[in-house]
Amino acid sequence: MGFTISDELVAEQNRAGMEALEEDYAHLGRQLGRRGIDIERLTERATAFRVAVPSWGVGTGGTRFARFPGPGEPRNVLEKLDDCEVVNRLVRVTPGVSLHIPWDKPESAAELKTYANERGLFFDSMNSNTFQDQPDQKLSYRFGSLSHTDPAVRRQAVEHNVECIEIGKALGARAHTVWIGDGGNFPGQVHFRRAVDRYLESLRQIYGALPDGWRVFIEHKLFEPAFYSTLLNDWGISYYCTQELGPKAFSLVDLGHHAPNVNIEMIVARLIQLGKLAGFHFNDSKYGDDDLDAGSIKPFQLFLVFNELVEAEIEGVAGFEPAYMLDQSHNVTDPIESLMTSAVELVRAFVQAHLVNRVALHEHQERNDALMALQTLKEAFTADVSPILAMARHRASGALDPVTTYRASGYRKEKARERPTRGEGGTGIV
Ligand code: RM4
Ligand code: MN
Ligand code: MN
């Protein structure tokens, strides 16, 4: 057990900002009170928010050109959990960890579960990987996996997914996410309809292996790694497949997996309406699947997504139970700082969406008052709810200012010492 950030350090750091926070919080409380909004209720909602972090997100990512590893990167799944603990300790909304297999395949699932639980963490959804070949793998996924033309490759891919579910069972997870890289690079390469049939046949077997109470999430993506056609390219085909599979199958929305300018909040509303929204992989993007920090490029889009989610929550839409996860790749920042910042941005959008005057919004919609409808949303989006977020963290024993506290702790420096990199430019983790 190496260096960790103590509760005392967090409390000490918080003391410096407490007076200003109390003042700002009281002022915001009065402002919101004039609009008939109870600030305490919002703070409760902020405290209840949860988003899972991806185990692979605490290591430095990379592009297909290069990877620039940072100091003190985690070298194995246990060290990754240590970093996940730090994220949660400071922001207090990320106790769930999502594992990618085989990247983070545990030697003993039972021991890993104990290790996580001791750190206040638990395992959220599992993720399979049939978009890469592993060193000891018999058959290659070069030309696809679950939809491959060769039944033996499909079988291997199905077995891998079933193994992920087995590991997940031992870890206490309740959902399995399937993202595949299957597709084609050239016109004519793939028989579009037959490929979907093969994919569905494989998924039916995975679906059949789901334990009671589990859900399976399928994740669409417009392109990449295939550059001409992707098997599950959009929410339409994803919805069709989840319908074909049955009530335990849902469509997962990764914010980076759509063409530029696509109206993602509307896709979210559609999937809610159809009872098939699995949840999210949150991140942000400018061009493609950039995997940038949530809220860093299009914060208004993030707010609009949460506006749909909160509307459904308030309305009590039947079966509405979205799973939230971050899916980011950190290339130039400290991954812990990026994950904390993203988690905070999600809570911000969530709380802002609770500020929307829904009675007024619905009236404007009925009367076709486009201008006032937008104003109603903007009134919520432009409100600075930072004091609510900070107060929620404080009450949950988190940090008022997570990044400042993290930097003051010297955690990264300590880890750089404890985890010397193995060889130049390569730490052996993805
Ligand atoms: C994909 C997709 C998956 C993620 C992999 C690493 O683009 O977002 O969810 O597991 O990347
Ligand atoms: Mn994703
Ligand atoms: Mn992605």
Side-chain angles (χ1 to χ4, degrees), residues 117-287:
N117 294 163
E118 282 167 1
R119 284 156 183 75
L121 306 172
F122 66 89
F123 290 100
D124 205 81
S125 71
M126 302 298 293
N127 300 264
S128 58
N129 179 345
T130 60
F131 47 87
Q132 282 179 329
D133 285 348
Q134 305 304 324
D136 52 354
Q137 192 176 304
K138 237 169 84 199
L139 303 165
S140 173
Y141 295 134
R142 182 177 192 184
F143 292 110
S145 58
L146 294 175
S147 78
H148 200 285
T149 48
D150 180 352
V153 179
R154 298 204 295 277
R155 202 171 313 121
Q156 177 181 283
V158 167
E159 277 165 15
H160 165 68
N161 276 276
V162 173
E163 188 198 358
C164 291
I165 294 172
E166 287 302 318
I167 297 170
K169 230 161 86 178
L171 290 172
R174 300 281 301 276
H176 178 52
T177 304
V178 185
W179 174 74
I180 54 166
D182 295 32
N185 273 24
F186 297 96
Q189 183 186 333
V190 173
H191 190 300
F192 294 149
R193 284 180 288 122
R194 288 183 192 164
V196 170
D197 287 342
R198 293 192 294 263
Y199 169 72
L200 263 177
E201 185 194 288
S202 300
L203 264 186
R204 280 198 185 97
Q205 296 170 49
I206 299 168
Y207 188 93
L210 289 175
D212 282 348
W214 272 59
R215 299 187 290 166
V216 65
F217 303 156
I218 58 174
E219 181 180 357
H220 59 273
K221 179 171 173 175
L222 178 66
F223 79 102
E224 195 192 38
F227 289 111
Y228 166 67
S229 66
T230 289
L231 188 128
L232 207 71
N233 65 303
D234 68 10
W235 76 275
I237 184 68
S238 174
Y239 171 68
Y240 167 76
C241 290
T242 55
Q243 271 297 98
E244 285 291 303
L245 286 168
K248 296 192 247 174
F250 296 85
S251 297
L252 186 127
V253 177
D254 182 313
L255 292 189
H257 288 191
H258 308 85
N261 301 329
V262 159
N263 189 336
I264 300 178
E265 57 274 21
M266 199 165 75
I267 294 174
V268 172
R270 299 276 193 256
L271 287 172
I272 292 172
Q273 185 158 22
L274 298 167
K276 283 295 190 187
L277 179 69
F280 292 84
H281 279 181
F282 286 111
N283 50 50
D284 213 338
S285 76
K286 178 90 180 141
Y287 302 106

